[in-house]
């Protein structure tokens, strides 16, 4: 069963400086979860991680809290931290919230975007075209969207969006596996950047909404099928 997987069989043992431990452990676990090496239900034990990385339990606890906040881990009675299901009921809520937040950020940002912002966004799309690693797809997707929103004046809005984009990474593997794909098409992203480049604010917002609503529909269809079983 997934929860009996030993972390030492998945994660490379390494000595980590104490001041870097939380970030390193968080990133190693995040990549393993997003890539499927630690499947849903896998127990993530603090002492095992502390031993693997040669640190105390304190930075391990902090890393696990961060991953729980990103919905990558859940805490279960008598088990402690376990890898969360790949998809859940809150996924549709996440997409609906993203539509609201990101549409506003796009409206604020597009009039102020510089040619170098558009060039950065196109560069991320180019990398996404050739990337198949789920964790890296998630990182590039986040950077692409944030490049387009970067000139928004509301910094709290940008922080909220980045949090939601971090959570979005756990959905990518679901999307790819559910559609039998190694990677996602970049058609929507290209259309979004084209509209932003031309300063067509409402067209860009429309493309973004269609893009996010498609993701929500895929998830809702899957959840409805699961509930009907």
């Amino acid at each position: 069963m997934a929860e009996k997987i030993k972390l030492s069989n998945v994660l490379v043992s390494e000595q980590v400086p104490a001041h870097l431990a939380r970030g390193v452990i968080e990133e190693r676990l995040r990549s393993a979860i997003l890539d499927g090496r630690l499947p849903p239900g896998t127990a993530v034990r603090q002492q095992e991680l502390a031993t693997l990385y040669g640190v105390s339990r304190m930075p391990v606890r902090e890393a696990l809290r961060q991953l729980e906040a990103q919905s990558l881990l859940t805490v279960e009675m008598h088990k402690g931290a376990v890898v969360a299901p790949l998809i859940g009921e809150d996924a549709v809520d996440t997409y609906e919230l993203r539509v609201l937040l990101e549409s506003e950020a796009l409206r604020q940002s597009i009039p102020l975007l510089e040619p170098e912002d558009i060039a950065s966004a196109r560069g991320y799309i180019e990398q996404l075209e050739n990337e198949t690693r789920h964790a890296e797809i998630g990182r590039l997707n986040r950077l692409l969207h944030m490049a387009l929103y970067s000139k928004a004046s509301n910094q709290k809005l940008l922080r909220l969006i980045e949090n939601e984009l971090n959570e979005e990474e756990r959905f990518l593997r679901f999307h790819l596996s559910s559609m039998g794909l190694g990677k996602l098409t970049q058609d929507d992203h290209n259309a979004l950047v084209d509209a932003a480049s031309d300063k067509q604010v409402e067209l860009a917002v429309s493309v973004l909404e269609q893009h996010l609503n498609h993701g929500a529909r895929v998830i809702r269809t899957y959840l409805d099928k699961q509930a009907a079983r």
Side-chain angles (χ1 to χ4, degrees):
M1 295 176 63
E3 62 267 20
K4 293 183 180 179
I5 289 176
K6 292 183 66 174
L7 299 181
S8 58
N9 292 337
V10 175
L11 303 171
V12 176
S13 178
E14 58 181 309
Q15 293 294 307
V16 178
H19 68 290
L20 299 176
R22 185 203 63 77
V24 169
I25 293 168
E26 179 185 343
E27 187 53 39
R28 297 290 188 277
L29 284 171
R30 168 197 281 275
S31 293
I33 292 169
L34 294 175
D35 287 341
R37 287 176 285 136
L38 291 176
T42 302
V44 181
R45 299 179 179 85
Q46 289 185 24
Q47 187 55 57
E48 188 174 358
L49 285 168
T51 300
L52 271 173
Y53 293 104
V55 296
S56 70
R57 288 194 179 197
M58 183 175 295
V60 174
R61 279 197 298 271
E62 292 172 353
L64 297 187
R65 285 195 194 102
Q66 290 297 314
L67 293 168
E68 183 184 4
Q70 297 163 28
S71 301
L72 292 172
L73 296 177
T74 58
V75 177
E76 296 184 1
M77 189 73 70
H78 307 305
K79 277 189 179 182
V82 300
V83 177
L86 200 57
I87 209 76
E89 286 291 340
D90 66 333
V92 176
D93 293 339
T94 295
Y95 274 89
E96 291 176 350
L97 182 58
R98 283 188 62 193
V99 169
L100 295 173
L101 297 177
E102 294 179 41
S103 294
E104 177 58 26
L106 203 55
R107 286 192 174 96
Q108 292 183 18
S109 182
I110 284 179
L112 302 174
L113 288 176
E114 301 287 347
E116 54 266 30
D117 300 314
I118 298 298
S120 292
R122 293 198 191 282
Y124 295 133
I125 291 175
E126 186 175 345
Q127 293 178 68
L128 280 164
E129 289 281 8
N130 301 305
E131 186 58 67
T132 57
R133 293 170 295 172
H134 297 105
E136 187 63 9
I137 290 172
R139 186 184 74 86
L140 292 169
N141 182 71
R142 183 175 74 254
L143 291 172
L144 164 61
H145 281 264
M146 293 308 295
L148 295 176
Y149 310 148
S150 61
K151 293 300 195 293
S153 58
N154 190 321
Q155 293 302 303
K156 186 171 184 179
L157 175 63
L158 291 178
R159 288 195 294 273
L160 289 170
I161 289 171
E162 190 147 27
N163 287 339
E164 294 302 319
L165 285 168
N166 281 328
E167 187 173 342
E168 156 76 3
E169 292 184 23
R170 76 184 170 117
F171 304 147
L172 282 171
R173 188 156 56 87
F174 163 79
H175 280 304
L176 296 171
S177 60
S178 69
M179 290 182 280
L181 301 173
K183 60 182 181 180
L184 293 173
T185 177
Q186 296 304 309
D187 291 348
D188 285 353
H189 283 158
N190 279 312
L192 180 58
V193 174
D194 287 346
S197 178
D198 293 338
K199 304 295 185 184
Q200 297 186 47
V201 177
E202 292 309 315
L203 175 59
V205 169
S206 177
V207 172
L208 175 66
E209 290 177 349
Q210 291 176 30
H211 176 64
L212 295 177
N213 286 331
H214 172 71
R217 284 195 300 273
V218 171
I219 290 171
R220 172 49 60 198
T221 299
Y222 170 82
L223 292 172
D224 288 346
K225 286 180 179 178
Q226 293 298 108
R229 286 185 175 180

